[in-house]
Every structure is written in structure tokens, then in C-alpha cells.
Amino acid sequence: MGFHVNAQQFDQWLAGLKEDYDVYAPVCIRGGSIYSDADCIRYGKIDRIEDVVFDKKSEYSFKEAMIPVSETLFYFTEEDCTVPPARKKGAVIFLRSCDLSAVQRLDDMYLGNGPEDFYYERIRSRIRFVLMGCSKSFDSCFCVSMGTNTASRYDLCVNVRTDGFAVDCPNREWAEFFMHCGCEEQPVTPDRVTENRTKVTLPENLSTEVYRASLWDEYNKRCINCGRCNFVCPTCTCFTMQDLFYTENGKVGERRRVWASCMVDGFTDVAGGGSYRKKNGERMRFKVMHKVFDYKERNGYHMCVGCGRCDDICPEYISFSRILNRLEDGMKEVSGS
Amino acid sequence: MDTNTAALKKNAFRVTKERNVTCIRIRVPGGHLEAKYLPVLQEIAEKYGNGTLHITNRQGFEIPGISFEKMPEVNAALQSIIEGLEINQEEEGAGYPAAGTRNIIGCIGNRVCPYGNYDTTALAKRIEKAVFPNDLHFKIAVTGCHNDCAKVRMHDFGIMGMTLPRFDADRCVSCGACVKKCQKKSTGALTLSNFRPVRDPKKCIGCGECVLACPNHAWSRSEEKYFRLTLLGRSGKKNPRMGENFVKWIDEDSIVKIILNTYDYVKEYIDPDAPGGKEHIGYIVDRTGVEEFLKWALKDVTLPEIAEVTKPLYWKGVEY
């Protein structure tokens, strides 16, 4: 059901959510850049629709509003373990079509890949999504190539208009609110991007043979293995475990899981002192192939959603989409044709 | 030809090797100017000078080969630059009213440089507005961070930008990037404890390397801008020495106040027989003792709570 909603009505709706939900959206954090006197667009809690940044892409994805960077799984004493309570409130998250497509990937990894992840499930079950219509593509976006420009499993969709917002609201409970506060009904479909400046073509015959291609060597030196590409990625879910012993006692502590990056040193360290993928080019290869090859082998669709954040954040200006477009030549090189 | 050389020098001209020929010095506070002023410089050089232009050590331009009689015309031609750079002027069209206090120089700062912790040009201009015109020999320089590209430690007042890094443990991914960067590029103020960085405030110089290194914004910049103020560096023939640390985590207002207070101190204690009425402040401090200087410099200054003042202050430098 579609409506025309003005800012005041939108704010009323947001106020009504407050009891049950924290609302997260891309916001401008003044002075929040790593550089001095510069801002950062990142996810934060909002009270009003005007807080939402629609005209820029967030540097980090919605993932940080959903999955804690560092999450205590349990506290332990010598005898017992205690699981921390769940968050008091659910969350309403504003996100774009690429990101909503990423939610499907997160769900498949946390809920459909063996036993359900208890911690993810208890957060996920209380999340509602607001799709932000995309009236234009940003330079680094390649959602059309990845087929993620048409995600539709949202509770509410909002398109920015000059005189307010065009809202599509499949969520019946929410739709009632808009009906009752006098919003004019109108048919609304999400604003979609149908073409990106960045286009990606993946070779049909992509296989692990491409490991042998020379293209990876370039990244041994160019990549500084900082891991930013992983931390901004809406589909990276790797974490590492940390057992923390409270120092005064030494026998009491907590186990937490913390976001990890396959680009950062230590990711492949194993018991006994082994370590794999020491070169940054090898790490790049692993990441690329996970995003556009082996994940698909298992799930039938690509992991990468083409949001382009890894391109935008890389301090060394390494373009992930360019690497994807180099895979075809890489396959030709290794197959000798 | 009868020319008052003291008045000429005060007006930012020079006595040169060549009889009756001078050179105009055009200051650019903070070292940044709109490109539209370059044609003015070109015109002055080609019309009144010898068609060349010298880029000075102190971020200005010197236009040589100007005959003494053309000085009024050169001053008139300079008016758009003096106004555009917001130089305090006493009489319109009469050029620079003083040349004793030198141009306040700055590195490119945070307008361009990722390491810059503040807008160096803006601060240089603010200080310029507060101190100029002044005949006393003060050298002031501002730089964006502790890399000190502007070599501020060679100045009477050296100002280095700092940020007080804030840590959000909930965003830390334990990658260790901040610790590595701090060890390799800065003072080694960070160590890892229980998978997360711990900052030693004694060692931390507020350079911001941790903020730049963190891939997940666990470290961020303080809203407040802080500075390190170094004192009484100098070059010269007598006893060159580097500026010493004075206040760490000082604020902009206090810096301006301390500089203005020092003008009062110098007026009181400068050697009346100093050649050209110029004496490096450091020599005056050597004479009066540091305590007397501090009494003047810190008058009515309220430093931020976090500020640390180095005591005792001591300079050695190069002895010949």
C-alpha cells in the first residue's frame, strides 16, 4: 500500500516506533572522518527523517547496526556460564537495495549454514527493514551487474520526493498508521537504478584455476592488508574468538566474538604455529573468489552485492570491481587461450 | 639620492647590493593564496622589477630590481594583494606598515594533508591579525602535526596541531594496526592489553596516527583542537637552538594570548642598543631569566585542564 508522506507525518511514525525499536539509518557524523574537519556518513540512531542521509552512500554498511563488532557470547566463572541478555529493543534499519540483498546473504550464512546462530537469530528476528529508494547510482556502485538493484523484501520503502516522501508499506500494522494520519494513498514502487557507471562482467568459466593467474601479484605490494574492505562490506561475516580473563581474578572472564578480516595478519593462524596466505595478493585472491565463486557454488548466487564500498574505502585505491573485470583475462591466461 | 633606509625597511623593502635599487617583500600569511593574485605579482615584476621573482623561505615573494623612486607605485600596485590577504594596513595604498615581525608561515595543513590536525592557514591568519603591524622581531610558524614540515621548532613560537584520540572499545576489531603505526611512526604510546589498545597519555603526542590507521573508526578525533607550543627556537650566528617544548595540549586562544603577552615583555626588556631594534626573544630571556619571561607570557592565560607545562625550561643549542 502506497502513500505520500510529509516530513512531519514521517517523524510521527518514527516517534511511534520508539517504544519497541531503535531506528538506524545512514547519518552524517560531524567531524567523524579519520581526517580533521571532515564528516563521515555512517549508521547511527535517528529520531527524525531529516537525520537520514539520502544523497550519499554510507562509508560503512548497515551491518554495523545489526551485528555487533564485538559481542560477548557468555561470561564464565569456574563453575558457570551466563549468556548476556538480548537487546531490549528491536531495530528498524534504513538501507538500500544492495544492502537488503546482503541481508539474504547474512541470513543464509548465519541461519541456513548448519545450525542456526543463536546470537544472530535473536537480533535478526526483531529487525524490520526500510528500503531507501535509489534515484541515482553512485560512481562505484555495480548493483545492476550483480542483480541486487531490485530487492523487495522490505517492511517499508521510502523514495525521496521534492515535497516529501513516496512510501510503499507492505507492513499492514505500519500502513494503518499512515492511513490514519491522513497520508494520501497513491501507488508507489521503489526507485530503482537500472544502469551503473561501473559494470562488472564475470567469466562464465571462472574456476579455481585462476589462482595461477599473474593478476594477483600486483596486490602483494599495492594492498596494505588493513582490512577496511572487509569491515565496510555488508556481506563479510567472519569473526574471531577472544577469551578474556579478568586480570584481578584470572579465573573469571568472558568469551566474545569480534569481527575479523581475511586481509589482516593473523586470520589464517592455526594451532601449532601454521599460517597461510601470507602474501597480500593471496589474501586478495581468496576474498575475491569467496565473493564471486565459491559462495555461489554453495548457495547458487553471488555473495558480492555490488555496493562498491570496498572501492570507496580503500586507502590504496584498489578497485574490487576492476579485479572482477580482470578475472576474464586471468582465466584466458591460465587456460592458454 | 636621499632615502631613509629605516623607513624603507619598515615598509617591507630592502637595501640591496645595487645602489638605488630595492626589492619588495610580499608576505602570504599561512602560505596559501588565491591564484588570482599571481598576475599582480607578475605585473609588478615586469613593470617595476627585473622580471624575476624570488620565492622566500618564509612563504612570500621578493620582487627584485625595483628602483627606489618606483616604491610608491609598487605600493599602490600591491593594494589588491594586501586587501585580499587581509593584512592590517594603516594607510591605504601605502604598502606594508611594518616588517619586523616576520610572515607567519604554515604547512599546507588539513585543507589538503591527511595528517593535518587543523587548518594551519586559518590559524596563521588569525595570529597575523592579532600581531600585525609590529616592528619587533618575532618569528612564528604553524604546522599541522608533529611531523613539523613547517620546521616550527626553528621559530620563537612553534605551533603543532594535535588531536586527543578517543577510543570506542565497541568498534575495536583487535587488528593491532594502531599499535603498529604508533610504534613505527610515532612515540609508541599504544600497547595491546586484552586484545585492545591502551594509550599512555604521557607518551601520546596527539598526532592522530591511530585514528588514521584504524580500519573501523574505533579511534576518532576529539572535537576540541589542541596544540603543542614550542618556544624560542632560532637560527642565526650567535647561538642557534631548537625550540623547546612549552605547553602540550594548549588551545588556540591561549596561544594568541601568550604571543601578545610576549610582545609586552619584549617591549619592556629589549636591549635598547639592539642592532636595527631587533633582538631574538631568546637572548632577552637569557638575560631576564625564564621565570620573569613566564610571569609575563602566562599573564591572564587560562590553559585547558588537560594542558601540561614543561618545567623547568632549558635551552642549550649550538655554541661557537
Side-chain angles (χ1 to χ4, degrees), chain A residues 32-37 40 42 59-60 64 69-70 226 228 231 242-245 247 256 258-259 264-265, chain B residues 110 114 116-119 169-175 180 194-196 211-217 221 225:
Chain A
S33 163
I34 59 170
Y35 304 124
S36 150
D37 287 340
C40 170
R42 233 169 53 192
E59 275 182 41
Y60 290 74
E64 62 180 21
V69 174
S70 171
C226 67
R228 283 179 175 82
F231 298 128
Q242 296 178 352
D243 283 349
L244 186 71
F245 294 87
T247 47
R256 61 193 182 201
V258 179
W259 288 8
V264 168
D265 288 348
Chain B
N110 82 357
N117 286 322
Y118 68 103
D119 184 340
D170 289 339
R171 293 193 67 92
C172 178
V173 291
S174 305
C175 69
K180 274 185 218 159
N194 268 338
F195 309 100
R196 284 176 182 163
V211 181
L212 294 168
C214 181
N216 203 39
H217 287 221
R221 294 170 177 278
K225 295 211 165 65

Side-chain angles (χ1 to χ4, degrees), chain B residues 100-155:
Chain B
T101 292
R102 302 302 204 240
N103 189 41
I104 297 162
I105 66 175
C107 68
I108 198 160
N110 82 357
R111 292 185 183 189
V112 173
C113 179
Y115 298 107
N117 286 322
Y118 68 103
D119 184 340
T120 47
T121 304
L123 179 59
K125 285 184 161 176
R126 179 181 170 185
I127 299 171
E128 159 83 20
K129 273 282 171 204
V131 304
F132 192 79
N134 210 301
D135 295 327
L136 293 173
H137 190 246
F138 274 51
K139 284 181 175 165
I140 304 164
V142 302
T143 200
C145 74
H146 273 72
N147 280 345
D148 193 9
C149 295
K151 307 288 173 268
V152 304
R153 279 191 193 268
M154 297 307 293
H155 291 71

Side-chain angles (χ1 to χ4, degrees), chain A residues 157-197:
Chain A
C157 160
V158 52
N159 300 322
V160 178
R161 297 289 178 261
T162 48
D163 59 347
F165 304 91
V167 166
D168 179 36
C169 188
N171 181 318
R172 286 192 180 174
E173 199 187 320
W174 290 356
E176 271 189 33
F177 170 86
F178 293 109
M179 267 190 285
H180 284 122
C181 78
C183 299
E184 190 190 324
E185 282 192 43
Q186 59 178 45
V188 173
T189 52
D191 286 349
R192 304 285 194 198
V193 162
T194 52
E195 197 179 7
N196 306 121
R197 209 179 116 181

